[in-house]
Amino acid sequence: MAEQKNPHDLPDVSGLSVAVLGGTGDQGRGLARRFALAGHDVIIGSRSAERAQTAAEGLGADLGVRGADNAAAAERGDIVIVAVPWDGHKELLEALADQLADKIVVDCVNPLGFDKKGPYALAVEEGSAAQQAEAVLPRSRVVGAFHHVSAVTLLDPEVDKIDLDVLVLGDDREATDIVRALASRIAGVRGIYGGRLRNAHQVEAFTANIIAINRRYKAHAGLRITDV
């Protein structure tokens, strides 16, 4: 009988480079900053290479984060994180299908709307943003993760450790293990497998609840999974 693999065993991802598409936004810059602090080679991507470089330099020269246009960033990253606004999500990924082929693509986009009652989840034809990414990137290994990480906390220089579990979703076991390991490179964070990619909708939608919690309690809330 084959020996069961310990679910907490994670691969060594310390040598992997990370590209963040849409990295000039708060969440993208925050993730870029934390992965650079963890020792990764990080490239911020944007529609404008100049804007991306400005955002990279704004994180601090000592971190060595570089900026590039989205296509160049996608080419250079071993792992590519998609942190773009929902409105431009599908269009961008369709345009970068060749650059993202054979790569692990981590989608952290939350399709949300806002009205007088607050945030709410939008209906997505494919089921979720992550499933939309999977549909338009058939040659990529799509994983959903980093949906509930506070950009304010990521960017706060006074926060050394982040009290948070990152739910990682996907159908490729090796890819989800790699992304779990990447999440765990952020001090204080654990990457926890959260199910198949078809379960990404409720994870993305839960961001609306997190925002509501933050507004009511003036907090930067996250999730912890117990008994794991």
Side-chain angles (χ1 to χ4, degrees), residues 5-11 173 180 184 190-192 227-228:
K5 180 182 177 182
N6 185 332
H8 294 287
D9 288 344
L10 295 174
R173 173 69 176 269
R180 287 174 54 222
S184 298
R190 293 190 307 171
I192 299 291
D227 199 31
V228 173

Side-chain angles (χ1 to χ4, degrees), residues 37-52:
L37 285 170
H40 290 275
D41 180 25
V42 178
I43 310 100
I44 283 179
S46 176
R47 284 176 293 181
S48 162
E50 182 179 359
R51 187 176 175 212

Side-chain angles (χ1 to χ4, degrees), residues 55-68:
E57 291 170 356
L59 293 175
D62 56 319
L63 291 180
V65 178
R66 294 171 290 149

